[in-house]
Amino acid sequence: MRNLKMSIQYDGSKYKGWQKQKSDALTIQDKIESVLSKMTGEDIQVIGCGRTDAGVHAENYVANFHTDCQFKIETMMDYLYQFLPEDIVVKSMKDTSERFHARYNVKSKTYVYRINNNKFRNVFNRKYVYHTDEKLDLNEMRNATEVLIGTHDFQSFTSLKPNTKSTVRTINHIKITEDNGIIEIEVNGNGFLLNMVRIITGTLLEVGKGELKPKDVERILGEKKRSEAGPIAQAKGLTLKDVQY
Amino acid sequence: MRNLKMSIQYDGSKYKGWQKQKSDALTIQDKIESVLSKMTGEDIQVIGCGRTDAGVHAENYVANFHTDCQFKIETMMDYLYQFLPEDIVVKSMKDTSERFHARYNVKSKTYVYRINNNKFRNVFNRKYVYHTDEKLDLNEMRNATEVLIGTHDFQSFTSLKPNTKSTVRTINHIKITEDNGIIEIEVNGNGFLLNMVRIITGTLLEVGKGELKPKDVERILGEKKRSEAGPIAQAKGLTLKDVQY
C-alpha cells in the first residue's frame, strides 16, 4: 500500500478549520478526502498534521494518506487541482515510507500571525491580515516573548478547559518583524494547544499597546488561568507556515 | 466651494467597474457618492480619472468632488473608512485647486497586469492575479512590446467599435518583469481605450506561448482590426496602479 505525503495551501476563510466534524460543517479535510475518494474509488482517510481553527489559513499544511491506487503522482495532483475548490491547492505530493504519520511525526510547527498596522486596511490582503491602527511598541512585544520561549505550562494561553490534558508545550522561537507597516509574529514550537497562537498574539498586542508589561506576561504564564491572558486575536490573521519532521 | 482630490484603493472583484450606470449595476462610484452624499447632506458627484472594466482593481484610483462641507479632511476620511464596504478604501484626500479635474487633467496612467506562471494558482492572490502554467517566453514578449510604444491607432486593441471616436493613443512604456513566477506587465500611456490593456496582454500572452511572433504584433497594429489581435485577458489580473497629473 502506498503512503502519500502532501503539502497543502488553503485560504481558511470559509472553512470550519482543517478537521472533519460530526456536523455538516465545511472543513478542508472533508474536501480533500472527498476528491481523493472519488479519484481512487476507495474510502480515503487523510491524516493531517493537526487541527487548525476555523478561519485560519495554511501555506504548507502537511497530511498523508494510504491508498492502493497506482496513478502517477502527477496524475493525482492534476486531478486534485481540477476538482478541489479554488481556495485549496495541493502543492506537492510524494511517496513516503509506510511508517510516516503526518501528526505523530511532527517535530515542530511554524505559525505566522500577520498584522497590518498602517492607518487603513489594505483591500488586497484584508482576508489574511488583521488590521489595527493602534500604535504598537514592537520592542516591548519582543521583550514579552522572552518569558514564553522554552518549555512551560501554557494553560493561560489556551481555550482548553483545565485538567483535560497536559498543557505543557515547548516554544522554540518567537520572531517579530515589521516591513512597511505589516508586522509578522512567527511562532515555532513542538505543538500548540487550542487557540494558543491567537491568545499569545492577543496578549502580545496588549503589551504592544502598553496595557500589559512584559513582566505581566511572566505573571500570566505562572497563573495558569486563561482569564489572565489577553483576548484571542482574530483567526483571519493566522497562517500555518510550515511543519518540520 | 472646496474641491477635494482622493486616492482610492479597491478590489473590483464584485463591481461592474468604476463608473455608475443607468442600470442597478454595483459600481465603485455609486458606493463612494452614496457615502459622501450621506456625510455632506449634498448630492455629491464624484469625477473619476476614467472608467475601469468590471472586475478590474485599483491601487491608486484618483477622483475629485466639490462640496460646501467644511469637515476636516481627517473627519471625512474616518467617515468614509467607516461606511464604505471593506473592498474600497479612500487612502488619501486633500483640498486642491478649484480647477482640478480628475479626468481632464490626467497626463498618463499606469496599469499593471499580473500573471502567476507557476504550476498552480496561489490561493492567497487568486482574485488579483491571472494564472497560467503555460511556458511563456518573456524575451519574445518584451520584443513584441516595442512596436506598441509610441503614438499609434490602437483600433486592433480595443473592443470599441470602429469610427466611434479616435482610437489614437500614446504608450510611453511597457515593462515586463518576473519575480518568483509572478509576471508583471506594466503599461503606461496617456490614455487607454476600452479593454485596451487586457487585449494588449492577451496578445502578448500569445507571443509568449509562441503562437504569434513580435512581427505579427506590428502587422496586427497596422490592420486596425480587433479580430486580428489576441483574446482579451481576464479582468481580475488587471490593476490601475497610478495616475499621473
Side-chain angles (χ1 to χ4, degrees), chain B residues 112 202 245:
Chain B
V112 58
Y245 289 94

Side-chain angles (χ1 to χ4, degrees), chain B residues 108-125:
Chain B
S108 62
K109 286 182 192 164
T110 308
Y111 277 94
V112 58
Y113 196 96
R114 295 192 175 93
I115 300 157
N116 177 358
N117 198 33
N118 292 302
K119 177 138 177 64
F120 300 121
R121 76 179 160 269
N122 180 313
V123 302
F124 300 113
N125 65 22

Side-chain angles (χ1 to χ4, degrees), chain B residues 112-115 130 141 148 157 185-187 195-208 230-234 237-238:
Chain B
V112 58
Y113 196 96
R114 295 192 175 93
I115 300 157
Y130 165 70
M141 289 168 70
L148 300 172
F157 296 92
I185 303 177
E186 185 183 286
V187 186
N195 301 149
M196 180 167 154
V197 181
R198 293 167 59 195
I199 296 169
I200 287 175
T201 299
T203 307
L204 292 176
L205 283 169
E206 303 260 283
V207 172
I232 182 166
Q234 282 182 25
L238 185 61

Side-chain angles (χ1 to χ4, degrees), chain A residues 10 15-31 33 46-54 61 103 165:
Chain A
Y10 56 80
Y15 296 97
K16 296 291 178 199
W18 163 264
Q19 184 152 308
K20 65 182 165 191
Q21 297 177 13
K22 281 171 191 160
S23 68
D24 287 348
L26 190 71
T27 74
I28 296 115
Q29 186 181 9
D30 278 317
K31 287 287 180 193
E33 288 187 348
V46 175
I47 299 160
C49 62
R51 299 177 184 217
T52 57
D53 295 345
Y61 185 96
R103 190 165 74 257
K165 312 182 207 175

Side-chain angles (χ1 to χ4, degrees), chain A residues 155-186:
Chain A
Q155 183 65 62
S156 293
F157 296 92
T158 176
S159 308
L160 264 188
K161 290 203 183 70
N163 307 319
T164 45
K165 312 182 207 175
S166 167
T167 45
V168 174
R169 293 291 185 279
T170 300
I171 291 186
N172 300 313
H173 76 241
I174 304 182
K175 287 179 197 160
I176 302 182
T177 54
E178 188 270 341
D179 183 24
N180 272 316
I182 304 292
I183 297 163
E184 293 198 350
I185 302 178
E186 184 182 286

Side-chain angles (χ1 to χ4, degrees), chain B residues 44 85 97 112 218:
Chain B
I44 299 290
S97 86
V112 58
E218 191 166 6

Side-chain angles (χ1 to χ4, degrees), chain A residues 9-11 57-58 77-78 81 85-91 119-124 126 128 131, chain B residues 9-11 57-59 77-78 81 85-90 119-124 126 128 131:
Chain A
Q9 184 190 57
Y10 56 80
D11 169 353
H57 320 289
M77 288 186 71
D78 285 348
Y81 193 67
E86 65 165 24
D87 48 13
I88 303 176
V89 171
V90 174
K91 292 168 72 175
K119 177 137 178 68
F120 300 121
R121 74 179 163 270
N122 179 314
V123 302
F124 301 112
R126 68 188 194 274
Y128 314 118
H131 175 256
Chain B
Q9 185 190 55
Y10 56 81
D11 169 353
H57 319 290
E59 282 165 19
M77 288 186 71
D78 286 348
Y81 193 67
E86 65 165 22
D87 48 13
I88 304 175
V89 171
V90 174
K119 177 138 177 64
F120 300 121
R121 76 179 160 269
N122 180 313
V123 302
F124 300 113
R126 67 188 194 275
Y128 314 118
H131 175 256

